[in-house]
Amino acid sequence: MRTTIFHSISAFCLVITLFIPSQVMAQDACVSGTSTVATVGCLIDNTDNVTFDLTGDILVGSDLSGIRLRNSDSNILNYTGNISSTSTTNSDEYGISVVGGNSNVITINGNINTNLSRGILANNGASNIFTLNGNINTTAASAYGFFAVADDDVTFTLNGNINTSGQDAAGIFLVAPTGYFNITLNGNINALGGSRSDSVNPRGIDVANSPAGSTITNLGIITTTAEVGGAAAYDIYVRSGATLTNLNNRQSGLTYYGKIPTNYNAVINSTSDYGKIIYSTVSGTTSFGIYPGSVLKSETTYASVIDGLESSNITAGNSGNYTYDGRTWAWTLANPSSNLWDLAVGSCTGCVKEDTQDTIEEIGDSIGLEFSQILHKGTSATASFANMNTYDCDLFDKEGKCYSVGGRHTDVNGNNDSDSSSSGAVFVFGNKFNENFRVSAFIDQQVDRNNPKGLKVHNKGPMIGGNLVWNQFANHLGFQVRAANAYQAKDMTITRSELGEAEAGVGKTKIEVQNYVAEVSYQFSGGDSFLRPYLADSFFRPYLAVRRAIIKQDGYTETGVENPLTYNTVKDKSTTIVIGMKAKYRLNPTFTLNGAFGVENDISNKVDKIQATSSTITGITPVDFNTSINKTRPVVTLGATYHIAPNKAFSAQAQYQELSYTKTTAKTVYFNYTVGF
């Protein structure tokens, strides 16, 4: 009875499609290139090798398609917009239809809504590729989200969702008598309309008359419902005349009716996230396997991966080895009860080494971020002398003394969504020897910080440094030469996380950083230029600086662990040239704006790799935590100074810069109060 009804439905669908070509004359041709599609939609007819980038919403009229390709080959169609229907009853309306076309690539960025009989139609073509990045929502009875009929070698990728609420509706209906299909679900199918009778099953995916070679990869969730007294609902429904070669499944509790797949592969992401399938009214045989890219845990049982099959239905795949990312697990299918099968994972070859390698790479990411933090703080303290006058004290009175107290906050954003931050109190002392020479020294005492993952940093002492400045003239015009240095030592505890077969490890080490800066600049007044009326109260200082930075992390051996790792000494040495412009503008006698822009370029940069060794684990490879050095980087500074009195001032500055560690940026805010004596 079910077979008779199905063939009647299929024949009806095929007949309907024969009338579609005569119905498209109400639409104009789609415009190639980038264009806005008419509200009534458009037609691509007998057109080959053309690209269409269409935007705009479409309101489909009765018995029409929003966008239709007819007898057209090798086109690229990118549509961004939403397609909806004017109908209040079921009619032969389609969101996107491809009839008689071959090798077209169709991407839909939007939704197909309301009472359409078909969301997407692929009819009587070959090798067409569809990608849906939006949703299909249908309310009509016997409607389909994606419908492929007499279409050979069709590929459909769902990144959104398909929702059907009409009776006897299916999310995907595949009638491909001569060619395979490839269906990938990254989104979900919700077939919630139930059934009108006990003869037609509600289904998420309905497969009929397909030859060998077809694949369904379900990485989402298929949900189906049946009305009370109606036929049972199934997530996947495979007819006796169809062949599903490969089924890859991540969903827990996927329901399956009919001829079982030739190969069934469970997707396993974790012990709580893995594929489980429930078979009903089955025929045929299958081979069980594990989907490539799955991550297994040794000595673990994944319960109920298969329900509803006899041992005679599983002709191969009762045991084997699964290899991924240098690891190999032994596994078997266990049969705890009559039709129930568990996946029992045994020992793993290579897991200890590979998992340990992964934990070392995690450490490398964190150390790279910490090095960036250190470098940036060093930049704020020393290289900033080349970019802005940050840790400086240049407000003197009769005794030629200058004192400054302030605060700093630095945020460093790194790879893998990791970040680090620190705050510090800053004290600066300056002494003017004469009108040309002065010296300053600073202390940056950290008061708070957010450590990168796995690191706990303790300052052995504050960051200290100083600079020596020579000015050509007492008013600071003309040439200026500056030399600066900063030094800091830190104690650091590094925790290597437990991962898979790798045990956690803890070690203690020390980091030392030194920065040296030499800068030459020339300041001139904007009032001396041809723009004097506008720049009379402004000053500009182009500068050229050279920075030498050295970071050293001592080697160490983990403690309190069964198989400790020993790490080498790591050094980061770089030489950088900085060129830019500083500027300030005096709004009035008490308030001054300042800013700077510079470009850093590393003329040399050498970073050691992290090498861990073990007496029990062989084959650990060095980790390069800075595989792609960002050699050229911008630095931008904005600030202001308010003079409370001739010898008292409050300043605030903000700096943004890219750092040498790829995709790492830093932002610093610095404020201070300065008094001259």
Side-chain angles (χ1 to χ4, degrees), residues 29-360:
C30 299
V31 179
S32 62
T34 302
S35 63
T36 302
V37 66
T39 304
V40 296
C42 64
L43 167 66
I44 300 172
D45 189 19
N46 287 291
T47 302
D48 301 333
N49 300 298
V50 176
T51 297
F52 299 86
D53 293 310
L54 306 180
T55 59
D57 294 339
I58 297 173
L59 189 63
V60 180
S62 181
D63 299 329
L64 288 174
S65 299
I67 299 175
R68 187 176 181 212
L69 285 80
R70 182 177 67 180
N71 300 326
S72 299
D73 302 332
S74 304
N75 298 291
I76 297 175
L77 169 61
N78 301 309
Y79 170 65
T80 301
N82 300 313
I83 301 176
S84 56
S85 168
T86 61
S87 298
T88 58
T89 60
N90 188 16
S91 63
D92 296 315
E93 297 169 355
Y94 304 84
I96 305 287
S97 66
V98 178
V99 179
N102 306 312
S103 302
N104 297 288
V105 180
I106 298 102
T107 303
I108 305 155
N109 302 303
N111 302 322
I112 301 175
N113 298 310
T114 71
N115 201 39
L116 299 170
S117 61
R118 310 286 186 262
I120 300 173
L121 170 69
N123 176 220
N124 200 32
S127 302
N128 293 303
I129 300 173
F130 299 85
T131 301
L132 175 63
N133 296 320
N135 303 321
I136 295 177
N137 305 296
T138 71
T139 59
S142 301
Y144 311 124
F146 179 80
F147 181 38
V149 55
D151 205 70
D152 297 341
D153 306 342
V154 63
T155 297
F156 176 59
T157 300
L158 175 66
N159 295 322
N161 302 314
I162 295 178
N163 306 298
T164 67
S165 58
Q167 291 181 321
D168 303 335
I172 297 176
F173 189 22
L174 303 166
V175 186
T178 61
Y180 68 86
F181 57 81
N182 190 354
I183 305 297
T184 300
L185 304 183
N186 296 313
N188 306 321
I189 294 177
N190 302 292
L192 307 178
S195 59
R196 291 178 297 188
S197 70
D198 60 2
S199 301
V200 181
N201 300 83
R203 59 259 188 235
I205 300 178
D206 193 335
V207 182
N209 297 333
S210 64
S214 297
T215 298
I216 295 175
T217 300
N218 177 31
L219 303 178
I221 296 176
I222 303 174
T223 303
T224 56
T225 60
E227 294 181 349
V228 176
Y234 296 102
D235 299 332
I236 297 179
Y237 194 106
V238 180
R239 308 282 175 169
S240 59
T243 297
L244 178 58
T245 300
N246 302 299
L247 173 59
N248 309 309
N249 174 50
R250 177 187 173 184
Q251 179 178 336
S252 177
L254 179 78
T255 57
Y256 187 104
Y257 177 97
K259 187 176 180 181
I260 61 180
T262 306
N263 303 295
Y264 173 68
N265 299 305
V267 179
I268 301 175
N269 291 333
S270 69
T271 55
S272 60
D273 181 8
Y274 61 94
K276 299 181 182 180
I277 190 167
I278 303 171
Y279 289 101
S280 298
T281 317
V282 301
S283 64
T285 60
T286 190
S287 175
F288 175 82
I290 299 170
Y291 186 69
S294 294
V295 179
L296 304 184
K297 185 175 179 59
S298 301
E299 309 299 337
T300 300
T301 296
Y302 299 84
S304 306
V305 293
I306 296 176
D307 189 355
L309 294 186
E310 304 284 349
S311 58
S312 59
N313 297 124
I314 306 175
T315 58
N318 294 89
S319 63
N321 294 314
Y322 170 73
T323 299
Y324 173 69
D325 196 25
R327 305 163 175 87
T328 299
W329 293 266
W331 61 268
T332 59
L333 277 182
N335 189 207
S337 61
S338 60
N339 297 322
L340 194 64
W341 300 83
D342 298 339
L343 174 64
V345 179
S347 61
C348 173
T349 302
C351 280
V352 174
K353 180 259 181 181
E354 294 296 334
D355 291 342
T356 300
Q357 187 76 46
D358 288 346
T359 63
I360 298 172

Side-chain angles (χ1 to χ4, degrees), residues 356-650:
T356 300
Q357 187 76 46
D358 288 346
T359 63
I360 298 172
E361 291 176 358
E362 282 187 355
I363 290 175
D365 289 339
S366 297
I367 291 175
L369 193 66
E370 179 63 21
F371 276 25
S372 293
Q373 169 87 318
I374 292 171
L375 277 174
H376 181 66
K377 285 177 60 179
T379 299
S380 296
T382 57
S384 289
F385 293 128
N387 303 314
M388 63 178 185
N389 296 322
T390 310
Y391 292 178
D392 198 2
C393 205
D394 190 18
L395 185 61
F396 301 100
D397 210 336
K398 297 178 182 179
E399 297 182 8
K401 308 294 184 183
C402 178
Y403 299 92
S404 175
V405 59
R408 167 197 56 80
H409 181 76
T410 301
D411 282 312
V412 178
N413 300 309
N415 292 319
N416 303 320
D417 297 323
S418 59
D419 59 18
S420 175
S421 64
S422 68
S423 300
V426 181
F427 305 91
V428 187
F429 167 76
N431 184 73
K432 185 172 68 172
F433 298 112
N434 53 49
E435 296 299 328
N436 303 101
F437 284 97
R438 61 183 177 87
V439 66
S440 65
F442 74 86
I443 297 174
D444 181 328
Q445 178 60 54
Q446 179 180 293
V447 296
D448 181 57
R449 69 166 286 145
N450 175 34
N451 296 297
K453 180 181 178 181
L455 303 187
K456 190 173 182 179
V457 183
H458 314 271
N459 284 358
K460 291 177 69 68
M463 180 167 58
I464 59 175
N467 67 125
L468 177 68
V469 181
W470 172 82
N471 287 296
Q472 184 179 7
F473 301 109
N475 60 4
H476 292 184
L477 294 176
F479 285 102
Q480 182 186 87
V481 179
R482 185 190 299 264
N485 169 255
Y487 172 83
Q488 187 174 28
K490 299 169 176 276
D491 288 328
M492 186 163 65
T493 301
I494 301 177
T495 301
R496 181 168 56 88
S497 62
E498 181 179 1
L499 177 66
E501 305 294 319
E503 59 182 343
V506 180
K508 293 184 178 181
T509 183
K510 182 179 73 172
I511 291 182
E512 291 181 294
V513 56
Q514 296 187 65
N515 276 274
Y516 305 89
V517 174
E519 175 197 285
V520 177
S521 63
Y522 184 87
Q523 181 165 276
F524 61 92
S525 171
D528 297 333
S529 70
F530 68 95
L531 296 176
R532 180 176 180 177
Y534 308 99
L535 302 178
D537 296 315
S538 62
F539 298 88
F540 301 92
R541 183 183 294 275
Y543 67 88
L544 173 67
V546 178
R547 180 178 72 242
R548 178 65 172 174
I550 302 172
I551 304 175
K552 176 187 175 185
Q553 177 184 297
D554 290 345
Y556 67 97
T557 299
E558 296 174 344
T559 59
V561 63
E562 183 177 350
N563 298 300
L565 301 181
T566 297
Y567 298 86
N568 62 316
T569 297
V570 178
K571 292 184 179 180
D572 181 334
K573 299 179 179 180
S574 62
T575 302
T576 305
I577 292 179
V578 189
I579 187 170
M581 175 74 74
K582 304 171 188 177
K584 59 182 179 180
Y585 180 74
R586 187 182 298 125
L587 291 175
N588 53 55
T590 61
F591 197 78
T592 302
L593 299 177
N594 60 77
F597 176 79
V599 177
E600 301 181 345
N601 182 260
D602 292 338
I603 58 177
S604 69
N605 194 312
K606 182 181 179 182
V607 184
D608 295 335
K609 296 181 180 180
I610 299 175
Q611 177 65 72
T613 58
S614 171
S615 61
T616 57
I617 306 171
T618 60
I620 299 175
T621 59
V623 173
D624 190 348
F625 58 89
N626 193 22
T627 57
S628 180
I629 296 175
N630 183 19
K631 290 187 175 184
T632 303
R633 308 171 298 272
V635 182
V636 180
T637 303
L638 294 174
T641 300
Y642 178 69
H643 286 269
I644 304 171
N647 65 332
K648 299 177 181 179
F650 179 82

